[in-house]
Amino acid sequence: MKITREEVEHVARLARLALTEEEKDTLTGQMDAILAYVDKLNELNTDGVVATSHAVPMENAFREDVVRPSIGIDNALANAPARVESFFRVPKVIE
Amino acid sequence: MELFELTIHELHERLKKREISSVEVTKDCLDRIAATEPQVNAYITVTRDAALSAAETADKRLAAGDADILTGIPVALKDIFLTKGIRSTCGSKILADFIPPYDATSWLRLKERGAVLVGKLNQDEFAMGSSNETSVFGPTRNPWNTDCIPGGSSGGSAAAVAARSAAATLGTDTGGSIRQPASHCGCVGLKPTYGRVSRYGVIAYASSLDQVGPLTRDVTDCAIMLGAVAGYDPLDSTSVDRPVPDYRAGLTGDVSGLKIGLPKEYYIEGLDPDVKRSLDAAIETYRGLGAEFVEISLPHTDYAVAAYYLIATAEASSNLARYEGVRFGHRTAEAGGLMEMMSKSRDEGFGQEVKRRIMLGTYALSSGYYDAYYLKAQKVRTLIMQDFLKAFETVDTILTPVAPTPAFKVGEKTSDPLQMYLSDIFTIPVNLAGTCGISVPAGLSGDGLPVGLQLIGKPFGEETILRAAHAFEQATTWHQRKAAL
């Protein structure tokens, strides 16, 4: 086994996914099969190979620090599931 | 001929001469959408009133004589593009009611030229899929055979072009999501070089791989659409500041002396006979046009799918962290603490494929596994890029299949994610290498389903692959074949 049900539960907590018991079962089997497949990468010797994180060679992209209009509070809040005045409303954070 | 059958350049000739109006063209397109949607389901949202109003504005521009080639042309966008004031769902329940406050740059560029938006197109949820079956708005059907998938994830974008329910569309391609549906639906689809087109306002899936591109009826339209959306955008720091060539002017029809590479790793035993037959015929066509063939090797091809499904899922797990039920998107009705609210909102809002990829990506990035999975995959990515750079020292373009088979049946691969992932085996390496590729109609299977060929270009070599694709199109009639719908 490449991955256990307990590891799936741990990863789900990290990913903030409240998976159902059935989802955990299904994902354990599917992730196990996929991880067994990607193991083929270990056939390749990559000692001394530089990792590629970006396909096009690029320096930092700087721009002038100039003031531009922003979308404004009402636009920013227009899609909020819940709001109070000019704030996003969330459940109690600190018990 | 019906108006909805016409390409962008054909419509433009008539619009310019005032033989037809954009309002007529747009109404005809909306009628075509109404007639084909019950069978195809290519659209998530049809923007009828806004389209007719934009068409009236376009007609004024045409009358005033300051029209662009796209003025008055009905186009549609994958629902991954943000459209100000128009719902943009990305095929997901979590964004089912999301109304963006701004436009994607690529859409803005079309809009400024006077293109008319007729609607937002169906797609795999968050562009994760190869069949358009992961959309929460139901699967899109292939207009050539509605028992079959249109491909994905830009399946709605390809199906609308094939059903002639939009003159042209935009899609996105992270591992083949423009080219594979274009091949399955018999249209032209181009994935530009990473950095060629701005991604500002395009909902992110895997940021080191995602790229915007057009799906069209023919190569000329593809050149027109690419020219309209390409170019540097200060709002996307990964867009590259280099001049945009006149792609249409580059369609000379001349491929004599063009060196075309045939990678032995793509012409494998067990390649579908319909796909093989189409490619063999295409090679003969190109020989007749004076192109030269060179056998090449891309030795790390077999590792591309594995590397992709670690890199793409890792980036997705990070990009999709923003859907937490606080600022926008679905929030669970079952309140509780903040953590519970976020975890339940995400579980309810995401579909199975999206959750699977978030889980894989989170695992690949998690403590103790980062080096073994994510870093290893990035190193293999380097080897795959080097394969292409080496090949392009001797050839101008590379000719390959797009997909291993023609379109498969709806439901055929949904229970086996790995089989679904392997259907992108010929398109994924191009995204990992960050270069460009185009799919062009090149045949029909025994069952009457389209088969495309792929031409892969050097980084920023879009002109060469468009020219080669156009020459092939001029020498064949596949692009004139239409879905019987």
Side-chain angles (χ1 to χ4, degrees), chain A residues 7 23 30 50 52 89, chain B residues 303 331 355-356 369 382:
Chain A
E7 284 176 298
E23 282 178 322
Q30 289 175 338
V50 177
T52 295
R89 182 178 189 152
Chain B
Y303 300 95
R331 179 187 287 191
K355 285 186 226 178
R356 186 153 50 235
Y369 296 103
T382 304

Side-chain angles (χ1 to χ4, degrees), chain B residues 33-42 139-143 146-147 484-485:
Chain B
I33 293 172
T36 53
E37 275 303 280
Q39 297 158 77
V40 180
N41 194 31
T140 300
R141 304 273 172 165
N142 191 316
T146 52
D147 290 336
L485 195 77

Side-chain angles (χ1 to χ4, degrees), chain B residues 267-319:
Chain B
Y267 294 87
I268 43 176
E269 287 293 313
L271 192 65
D272 180 273
D274 287 319
V275 174
K276 185 170 188 309
R277 184 168 43 79
S278 301
L279 278 161
D280 288 345
I283 290 166
E284 282 315 303
T285 302
Y286 274 117
R287 279 215 174 91
L289 294 169
E292 297 165 22
F293 283 92
V294 183
E295 189 185 281
I296 58 165
S297 176
L298 299 167
H300 298 96
T301 299
D302 197 31
Y303 300 95
V305 173
Y308 174 86
Y309 276 95
L310 291 169
I311 293 168
T313 58
E315 293 179 7
S317 75
S318 171
N319 275 325

